[in-house]
Amino acid sequence: DGGITQSPKYLFRKEGQNVTLSCEQNLNHDAMYWYRQDPGQGLRLIYYSQIVNDFQKGDIAEGYSVSREKKESFPLTVTSAQKNPTAFYLCASSPWTDSNQPQHFGDGTRLSIL
Amino acid sequence: DAKTTQPTSMDCAEGRAANLPCNHSTISGNEYVYWYRQIHSQGPQYIIHGLKNNETNEMASLIITEDRKSSTLILPHATLRDTAVYYCTISGGYQKVTFGTGTKLQVIP
């Protein structure tokens, strides 16, 4: 089945450590996105990528970094500069066309900083 | 980015139609209205989208007003499995989407 795989589902890290969240898609979508969700809140866009080797900052990019070396993969690194990294992180993908297509989401990674 | 306004929460009796409203008064001419839902601790699931005409699929119907400043998502026969947070979003061709806090729909037996 085609879809988006995020791993791990739960992640624990010590304060001050960088941590990388994985996101892989086999939908052949051009665009990929990372969102952050805090309890009782909506989704906020961290970074997005329209094409391999290119990405753009979203609304809350500070303290995060991404790479897009392959079409299928869009890993997110939460750096020690992110002041409050504990949250639910969601990855999504979509075709990048002018015809407007919905985003497909993974099941998320819940990050907790100890 | 265009923003949307939705009620914080709604209740619906099981088997009845659930009508979820959304205001998007700043929508631009080329922006679509999308609806997603999120069941607790899962990723959002796409439901339906439209530009200016009403749309229907196997999950729901979308009614967009003529001035496009508001829309309503209709779940024709709500079940307990429809209990979720429903997000109304606006997206243009560049696909940058803003998600608000959504409407928490509780389907009551």
Side-chain angles (χ1 to χ4, degrees):
Chain A
D1 288 336
I4 297 180
T5 301
Q6 290 188 242
S7 61
K9 192 172 179 66
Y10 298 95
L11 189 56
F12 300 91
R13 279 295 182 267
K14 291 183 178 180
E15 195 168 348
Q17 287 183 335
N18 291 353
V19 60
T20 297
L21 283 59
S22 170
C23 178
E24 303 279 333
Q25 56 100 358
N26 60 4
L27 299 167
N28 199 33
H29 285 168
D30 297 307
M32 297 187 74
Y33 314 79
W34 273 106
Y35 294 90
R36 168 181 172 139
Q37 187 174 35
D38 293 287
Q41 302 298 311
L43 283 66
R44 292 185 291 168
L45 183 64
I46 305 173
Y47 269 98
Y48 64 104
S49 168
Q50 303 169 28
I51 196 170
V52 173
N53 293 322
D54 185 55
F55 47 83
Q56 310 294 327
K57 291 182 179 180
D59 301 317
I60 56 165
E62 186 174 351
Y64 300 96
S65 66
V66 293
S67 62
R68 187 84 187 278
E69 297 177 1
K70 298 187 299 181
K71 187 176 184 178
E72 303 79 18
S73 178
F74 191 40
L76 173 74
T77 296
V78 184
T79 74
S80 57
Q82 169 51 235
K83 299 303 180 187
N84 185 20
T86 295
F88 188 47
Y89 291 88
L90 287 158
C91 178
S93 72
S94 71
W96 191 265
T97 67
D98 292 332
S99 61
N100 283 278
Q101 296 295 320
Q103 296 187 12
H104 297 250
F105 285 83
D107 280 335
T109 292
R110 196 167 297 278
L111 174 64
S112 297
I113 301 299
L114 306 175
Chain B
D1 296 331
K3 297 293 189 290
T4 61
T5 304
Q6 299 177 254
T8 303
S9 63
M10 294 181 65
D11 291 338
C12 178
E14 189 178 15
R16 304 296 293 269
N19 296 281
L20 290 83
C22 179
N23 288 324
H24 32 79
S25 58
T26 60
I27 191 170
S28 300
N30 65 342
E31 290 181 315
Y32 283 69
V33 180
Y34 289 81
W35 283 84
Y36 296 82
R37 72 180 182 185
Q38 185 177 27
I39 297 171
H40 184 62
S41 295
Q42 296 182 19
Q45 174 193 22
Y46 164 75
I47 301 172
I48 199 168
H49 74 287
L51 183 63
K52 55 183 179 180
N53 296 322
N54 297 339
E55 302 287 345
T56 295
N57 63 20
E58 64 277 6
M59 291 182 68
S61 295
L62 173 61
I63 308 297
I64 302 173
T65 58
E66 191 169 346
D67 62 7
R68 302 207 327 120
K69 293 184 177 181
S70 65
S71 61
T72 300
L73 177 74
I74 301 172
L75 307 178
H77 305 287
T79 71
L80 298 178
R81 289 179 294 180
D82 291 324
T83 292
V85 177
Y86 287 77
Y87 295 99
C88 166
T89 69
I90 303 298
S91 176
Y94 52 85
Q95 284 282 317
K96 188 165 180 258
V97 178
T98 299
F99 283 80
T101 54
T103 296
K104 186 173 183 178
L105 176 67
Q106 181 70 50
V107 179
I108 303 168

